[in-house]
Every structure is written in C-alpha cells, then in structure tokens.
Amino acid sequence: MLKFHEYRNPALAIDLVVFGYYEKVLSVLLLNRNEEPFKNGWTLPGAFLQMEERFSEACGRILKTKLGMEHLFLEQLYSFDEPGRDPRGRVISVTYFALVNPRNFGLAAGKMANDVSWHDIKKMPELGFDHKKIFKKALERLRSKILYFPVGFELLDEMFTMTELHELYECILDISIDRRNFRRKILDSEYIIDTGQKREGLQNRHPSLYKFNKKLKQHNFNLNVS
Amino acid sequence: MLKFHEYRNPALAIDLVVFGYYEKVLSVLLLNRNEEPFKNGWTLPGAFLQMEERFSEACGRILKTKLGMEHLFLEQLYSFDEPGRDPRGRVISVTYFALVNPRNFGLAAGKMANDVSWHDIKKMPELGFDHKKIFKKALERLRSKILYFPVGFELLDEMFTMTELHELYECILDISIDRRNFRRKILDSEYIIDTGQKREGLQNRHPSLYKFNKKLKQHNFNLNVS
DNA sequence: TCAAAAGTGTTTGTACTACACCCATGC
DNA sequence: GCATGGGTGTAGTACAAACACTTTTGA
C-alpha cells in the first residue's frame, strides 16, 4: 500500500497578506516576481508547504527569509482551491493574514529590498494569480475583526496616543468616527491603560500615552459604528 | 522540471461537520469507521480531495455518496495541519460545516445506514483523529453566525412557527431568550414573512406560519443576547 | 370554563449619538 | 493672546430587558 504522500496530491502553498500601518496609511507587503508566471508582476508573499511543516512554521519561514520579520500576529484566513488559480498546475493555497508595525523592522521609508515593498491599500496594483481575491478577503476580515478585537495594537508602537488609535480605526474602516465617543468607548472597554506619560515636543497640549492592557481577559467590547 | 503534483505533497482531506435539527435537538452526523485507524470509532465524514476537484465538489461527493444528501448550505470552516493528526501520515484537512433539515432526507428517526448516525451535540462520543477539535470549531462558528445571519432557516421546514424558530435559537445557543423580545426583534428585522397560514390541529391557539424572506438583501440584524 | 400556548403592550434602564465647551501647549 | 489639538460633559434618542395582560383554541 502506498503512503498518502506517494499518491498524486495537489501542491499546497501558504500565502500571506501582511498589513502594515505607517503615517496614517494602511499598506500591504507585495513581492515583485522575478520569474514566470507573472514575471515582474506583483503578488503576495508565499511558499510551498514542506512535508513536515506546520502552517505557522511556513508562515514564519516566509516572513523571516523573504521579509526579515518575526513574531507577528498571524491568523488563518481561508483556503483557496480554484483549479486554474496557478497556471503551472493544481495548487491549493492556505492563506494567513499578519499585522506588523513597519517601524519594528526598519521599513518605515516605504521600501525594502528591490523586490518587496509596501503598497497603500487604496492604490493597489494588479496582482498575479488570484491574489486580488485573497487580499480582498483579508481586508474584509481585518475590518470586521477590529470591531470586536483589539487588533490595532499590533500595528501601533507600544505606546500611543488616543488620537493615533482613533486615526488607525478611521483608516482601516475607511469611515469617520466621532473622536469623543470613540474615546469614551475605548476607555470604558479597558482595552488600554494610561501609562501616565505624555507625548512631548508637540505644538499643543501633550496627549496621554496609552498601552494595550495585556491582562484583559474578556473581550467584551463592540465598536458599533455605521 | 517536475510538475508540482509530482513533488511530495501532503495529502489533502475534506472533512464535514453536518448539523441537523430535529425535535428540539441539535445533532451532528458521524460515521462509524469499519477500518483502521479508529476502527469501530466515530469520526466526521470526509474524503481525500481528487486532483482536479474543487472543495465544494468534494463536499458534494461526500454528502451524496456517504450520506445521500444534496444541495446543503455549506461554509468553509478552517484548515487543520497538525503533523500527527492522522497516524497514517501527513494529511491536511480542509473542513466545512453544513446545515440540513433531517426531514428532507428521511433521516428523522435518528438513524441511517448502519455506519452513519445523528448524535446529539450534548452527548457526543469520543471522536477519532482531531475531529473533536474540528467539531468544537464548527459549533463555535454556528453559534456566532446565527447572531447576525439567518442561518436557522436551513434547519427548519419551509414554513415554521415563531415558537419553533425561538426554540431553535435557544437550543443552538444553549441559553434562554425572552420569547416576546425575540419575537419583536425577528419581526423587525424582516428576515421572515408571515405566510397568512396557520398551523392547525393543535390543542390551543393556532400560530402563524412564517417563511424565510429570500428577497432580503441587507443583513442588518443583530441578535444581542447574553 | 379551563389550561396552554400565541400574540400584544408598557415601563424602565442603558448605551449610543451628536453635540458644546474648556484645557494645555508653542509660537 | 491665539491657534491647535487634547480632554470632559451633557441632552436627546433609540433600543433592549423585563415585565403583565389579552386572545385563541381543544377538551
């Protein structure tokens, strides 16, 4: 009897949607391919799953070797199966999305190596394979997740002002939210803690610096925005 | 150069969590295995993905050949990757959950063929592989989904009373919900339409029969229960 | 006329919305 | 003092929770 992997099986790829937030812009990391198919076109970073490898290990491998990143927030997104999605043959793609603060990886200038760069989600180029679809699904997930889970803290510095958090929400959701109501809701939810410190050196009143409340157990908050 | 599928790839299975609701009990379809591993143990129904097959086609194949069912509500759940989850070798499992009205398939008596049967979700046996984990994830998804999506209609007859819908929600969520507030909320949401007909032959007041409003476009309802 | 379930109404409290106003800082 | 954002307060409203009461049916 054959072992399972000796049968013909579809290849299994892991593809990542890595979101970064910097200077009031939400961006995604894209790779410029240097080989066919889609040579010189943009795609999401990805790799084939190794036989003994876990999904999370493959994600870590991609993040580290292709992007130089480690220990990011990762969440499985969806698995894609269209038979024609890769012109080279049948490839199933298990996708994950990741959140990163670009400043933690020295990519703040907006560019990395020649073949990797951040792209404003509002100015996305054409993407190879079915990666546009994957990207859309990831953005949808991020937008719904941020309403009931403190996802934003992965994207900001360890300490941040209320205004920075507010701008992040408005940017991701692409809506405007009343500054004062947002503030009250976030503070009531106990997701963040006032560090007692202030951001200094600004032209006007020095805002309080907050950090994420890591001890919070219950995620009993719902940002009800229309 | 080798084709992708000529490399060693993990096998890819599709496993299904099929929920059925009948006589105020939420159940899951389980298979009694007649071969190793887990011989004579219970598992979720599943199959290996064929090379040219889509996930949804594999789901349809499992539902039809093993369970004699067709055209069910299906939604992708999650993909599982633990290297040890199948003792025979590396197998990735892409899972789906399905909703079915058992009465539509003549399974109302609670039993089917020798090796397939409904199991009350409150009296689940041990499951082979990592299927307990998959089941738990499916139940979790069902419980969260029912709060903002009219998922229940897949489980009931085409026409149903308000009380039947109410009991379904209480059963799935495993909580009690005020009958009158539930009624108002559901009616306000316009998810269901009064057919004008009544259920007759009961010992007391004849309740209205409703059906799902298929024309409803916007899913603007949120059943806020604690 | 009684029991049981269906259907309707009402009070109360909470939480969100939409605002106005004051405070701290650098210039 | 003034411009600019940060921080606080409040009236109005909508909606959900927690109730009581009436109606319809079969026996």
Side-chain angles (χ1 to χ4, degrees):
Chain A
M1 184 182 167
L2 288 172
K3 295 267 187 183
F4 286 155
H5 60 258
E6 291 165 335
Y7 286 95
R8 287 174 71 226
N9 289 309
L12 218 157
I14 304 288
D15 290 310
L16 296 182
V17 183
V18 183
F19 288 106
Y21 177 75
Y22 184 69
E23 292 188 345
K24 304 186 191 179
V25 174
L26 183 65
S27 300
V28 173
L29 264 188
L30 298 178
L31 239 82
N32 198 289
R33 289 178 64 84
N34 51 20
E35 53 186 79
E36 294 295 345
F38 303 107
K39 185 167 180 172
N40 300 321
W42 295 101
T43 60
L44 298 172
F48 286 99
L49 187 73
Q50 306 298 310
M51 267 303 286
E52 313 296 340
E53 193 177 41
R54 297 203 51 164
F55 293 162
S56 59
E57 292 166 347
C59 289
R61 184 164 56 84
I62 297 163
L63 287 169
K64 191 162 185 183
T65 61
K66 294 201 180 180
L67 312 172
M69 296 172 167
E70 282 185 282
H71 309 305
L72 302 191
F73 172 94
L74 272 174
E75 178 175 305
Q76 190 182 304
L77 186 62
Y78 200 74
S79 298
F80 293 84
D81 69 332
E82 291 80 29
R85 56 180 299 284
D86 190 317
R88 297 165 294 180
R90 187 80 201 278
V91 182
I92 303 301
S93 172
V94 177
T95 62
Y96 276 71
F97 81 95
L99 301 177
V100 56
N101 179 344
R103 280 185 267 207
N104 291 348
F105 295 94
L107 311 172
K111 289 279 177 190
M112 298 180 61
N114 303 340
D115 54 348
V116 182
S117 71
W118 290 107
H119 289 255
D120 184 339
I121 63 153
K122 294 192 170 178
K123 300 169 189 165
M124 293 284 284
E126 293 294 308
L127 298 186
F129 307 105
D130 58 350
H131 287 187
K132 192 81 176 185
K133 201 168 158 185
I134 298 174
F135 162 71
K136 281 186 183 172
K137 190 124 188 160
L139 184 56
E140 196 182 291
R141 175 78 65 90
L142 176 60
R143 284 183 172 155
S144 64
K145 187 146 184 125
I146 201 175
L147 298 179
Y148 63 90
F149 194 86
V151 115
F153 306 95
E154 310 287 342
L155 297 163
L156 296 176
D157 291 344
E158 196 184 340
M159 290 198 288
F160 49 87
T161 66
M162 185 62 76
T163 299
E164 286 163 0
L165 186 62
H166 178 231
E167 286 168 345
L168 173 67
Y169 273 73
E170 290 195 328
C171 175
I172 290 181
L173 293 169
D174 198 23
I175 56 173
S176 71
I177 304 171
D178 184 273
R179 179 178 67 89
R180 295 149 293 187
N181 294 335
F182 177 83
R183 176 190 186 79
R184 178 174 29 245
K185 227 166 174 176
I186 293 289
L187 287 176
D188 287 351
S189 76
E190 299 184 340
Y191 271 148
I192 62 176
I193 302 170
D194 192 330
T195 63
Q197 298 179 55
K198 308 272 179 190
R199 170 146 302 157
E200 314 216 346
L202 300 176
Q203 292 188 342
N204 28 32
R205 186 168 179 172
H206 295 171
S208 292
L209 286 167
Y210 298 91
K211 60 180 180 181
F212 175 41
N213 178 6
K214 286 173 182 168
K215 289 176 191 163
L216 189 72
K217 284 161 193 168
Q218 219 180 350
H219 293 159
N220 58 340
F221 121 105
N222 216 312
L223 196 73
N224 236 347
V225 285
S226 50
Chain B
M1 183 181 166
L2 288 172
K3 296 266 188 184
F4 285 156
H5 60 258
E6 290 165 335
Y7 286 95
R8 287 172 74 226
N9 288 309
L12 216 157
I14 304 288
D15 290 310
L16 296 182
V17 182
V18 183
F19 288 107
Y21 178 75
Y22 183 69
E23 293 190 344
K24 306 185 190 178
V25 174
L26 183 66
S27 300
V28 173
L29 266 186
L30 297 179
L31 241 81
N32 198 286
R33 289 178 65 86
N34 52 18
E35 55 186 78
E36 294 294 346
F38 303 108
K39 185 166 180 173
N40 300 320
W42 296 101
T43 60
L44 298 171
F48 286 100
L49 187 73
Q50 306 297 311
M51 268 304 286
E52 311 298 340
E53 194 177 40
R54 297 203 49 165
F55 293 162
S56 58
E57 291 166 347
C59 290
R61 182 163 59 82
I62 297 164
L63 287 169
K64 190 161 186 183
T65 62
K66 295 201 181 180
L67 312 173
M69 297 172 166
E70 282 185 284
H71 309 305
L72 303 190
F73 172 93
L74 272 174
E75 178 174 305
Q76 190 182 305
L77 187 60
Y78 200 74
S79 299
F80 293 83
D81 70 333
E82 291 79 28
R85 55 180 300 284
D86 190 317
R88 298 166 294 181
R90 186 81 200 277
V91 181
I92 303 301
S93 172
V94 178
T95 62
Y96 277 71
F97 80 96
L99 300 176
V100 56
N101 180 345
R103 282 185 266 210
N104 292 348
F105 295 94
L107 309 173
K111 289 280 176 187
M112 299 179 63
N114 304 340
D115 55 348
V116 182
S117 71
W118 290 107
H119 288 256
D120 183 339
I121 63 153
K122 294 191 171 181
K123 300 169 190 168
M124 292 285 283
E126 292 295 307
L127 298 185
F129 306 105
D130 58 350
H131 288 186
K132 193 80 176 186
K133 200 167 159 187
I134 298 174
F135 162 72
K136 281 185 183 171
K137 191 122 188 161
L139 183 57
E140 195 182 293
R141 175 78 65 91
L142 176 61
R143 284 183 173 156
S144 65
K145 187 147 184 120
I146 200 175
L147 298 179
Y148 64 90
F149 194 85
V151 114
F153 305 96
E154 310 286 342
L155 296 163
L156 296 176
D157 291 343
E158 197 184 341
M159 291 198 288
F160 49 87
T161 66
M162 185 61 78
T163 299
E164 286 164 359
L165 187 62
H166 178 231
E167 286 168 346
L168 172 68
Y169 273 73
E170 289 195 329
C171 175
I172 291 180
L173 294 169
D174 198 25
I175 56 172
S176 71
I177 305 172
D178 183 273
R179 181 177 65 86
R180 296 147 294 185
N181 292 336
F182 177 83
R183 178 190 184 79
R184 179 177 28 247
K185 225 165 175 178
I186 293 290
L187 287 175
D188 287 352
S189 76
E190 298 183 340
Y191 271 149
I192 63 177
I193 303 171
D194 192 331
T195 63
Q197 300 179 54
K198 307 274 179 188
R199 168 146 302 155
E200 313 214 347
L202 300 176
Q203 292 187 341
N204 28 31
R205 185 167 179 170
H206 294 171
S208 292
L209 285 167
Y210 298 91
K211 61 181 180 181
F212 176 42
N213 178 6
K214 287 173 182 166
K215 288 175 192 163
L216 188 72
K217 283 162 195 168
Q218 219 181 350
H219 295 158
N220 58 340
F221 119 105
N222 216 311
L223 196 73
N224 236 347
V225 285
S226 50

